[in-house]
Amino acid sequence: RAKESGRNGFQYYSQELTARAFDRIPLESGLYYAIERGEFCLHYQPQFNLQSRRLRGIEALLRWQHPELGMVSPATFIPLAEESNLILRIGEWVLVEACRQMKDWLEHGLFAGDNLMSVNLSPKQFDHPDLVASIARILSESGLPAHQLELEITEATLMRAPEQAIDVLFRLRELGVKVAIDDFGTGYSSLIQLKRVPLTTLKIDRSFVTGLPYDSNDVAISRAVIALAQDLCLEVLAEGIETEVQHNFLICEGCLNGQGYLLSPPLEVSDLQMRLADWQAAP
Ligand code: C2E
Ligand code: MG
Ligand code: MG
Ligand code: MG
């Protein structure tokens, strides 16, 4: 388990929500209709190559604009959706929308042919027998090249049933999509298993970036993940970079990619489009 981050970052979601989050009933019933009512949208957080400052890609982050509660955090409603099979429909909506949007941006020349769209998959989605077929269908319907889609699964998802997971990952690789392990660094003992697993990226969990460079445990874990990624020829990306010292430390340690509030918060479509030209022009 990731340790809890002590920071609050942006005051992003409504205050009211915190109190009401314990009252699950209105959330659960509202969630059921949220797709058809058009209450979901995606925000996108850019990921950069920390050394060249070049844009690597963007991570799609789901947002729910609740009619009464305002913006509800995915940390609140994804676990609820995960308890029912709603997460499958929601996850499919996210994939379809993210692929459609990226293809549209590519056609308008806003992204390059090697920029990535990263999409989070929940454990239930990953375990579903139709996952690979449905990704293949969504790619072909959207026209997004497979190599520009990166799926983020958590370490926990991978480790629950490693043999099945590895089989799915091989099929995803055959399809040509990339796979990142999100929130990595928590299941230390399982690192060794990764040798056999077809992956592309390790994302260092934000909870370990928070304490850099002062917390010696965070330093040790970040170093270990960076070294492991190098040994396995995987990309490594640090999430939750908030300060210059974290940023500089990660560069010195050889972590090539990062995302976080220091570089940019997640942005709604219009804000992202406004800033893209700058980032794409960066040295
Ligand atoms: P995650 O995939 O690890 O995404 C990173 C989270 O950290 C995002 O929170 C992002 O806004 C936040 N973040 C980014 N940079 C910083 C930073 O510098 N400091 C701090 N304190 N936070 C930062 P968000 O958008 O609230 O999403 C929370 C989690 O909800 C995600 O964690 C992911 O696990 C889940 N999630 C979001 N969208 C989806 C989705 O479409 N499907 C699924 N299954 N899960 C999703
Ligand atoms: Mg993620
Ligand atoms: Mg993450
Ligand atoms: Mg995280």
Side-chain angles (χ1 to χ4, degrees), residues 9 38 43 47 61 66-67 70 74 77 104-105 113 121 165 181 184 209 227 237 244-245 261 266 270 277-278:
H43 285 191
Q47 305 176 330
L61 293 161
H66 189 283
F77 70 85
D104 186 64
W105 278 330
L121 288 191
I181 301 300
F184 189 78
V209 173
L237 185 148
E244 289 288 351
V245 281
Y261 294 159
S270 58
D278 291 343

Side-chain angles (χ1 to χ4, degrees), residues 3-24:
K3 74 178 184 180
E4 293 302 318
S5 166
R7 282 164 205 251
N8 268 321
F10 283 18
Q11 197 59 47
Y12 188 78
Y13 305 108
S14 70
Q15 286 288 353
E16 200 187 1
L17 175 69
T18 323
R20 293 242 210 139
F22 298 102
D23 185 2
R24 299 155 47 117

Side-chain angles (χ1 to χ4, degrees), residues 35-95:
I35 294 182
E36 55 197 69
R37 289 180 182 158
E39 293 168 2
F40 285 132
C41 71
L42 295 178
H43 285 191
Y44 299 95
Q45 185 174 37
Q47 305 176 330
F48 294 93
N49 180 310
L50 298 177
Q51 272 159 20
S52 67
R53 298 182 158 262
R54 198 174 168 264
L55 188 68
R56 172 190 192 261
I58 49 178
E59 177 175 5
L61 293 161
L62 185 57
R63 299 291 177 255
W64 180 19
Q65 186 63 47
H66 189 283
E68 287 124 42
L69 298 176
M71 194 78 92
V72 183
S73 165
T76 305
F77 70 85
I78 296 276
L80 284 181
E82 179 76 24
E83 282 173 24
S84 63
N85 281 330
L86 265 182
I87 192 63
L88 297 173
R89 288 179 52 209
I90 296 172
E92 164 114 357
W93 182 88
V94 171
L95 276 163

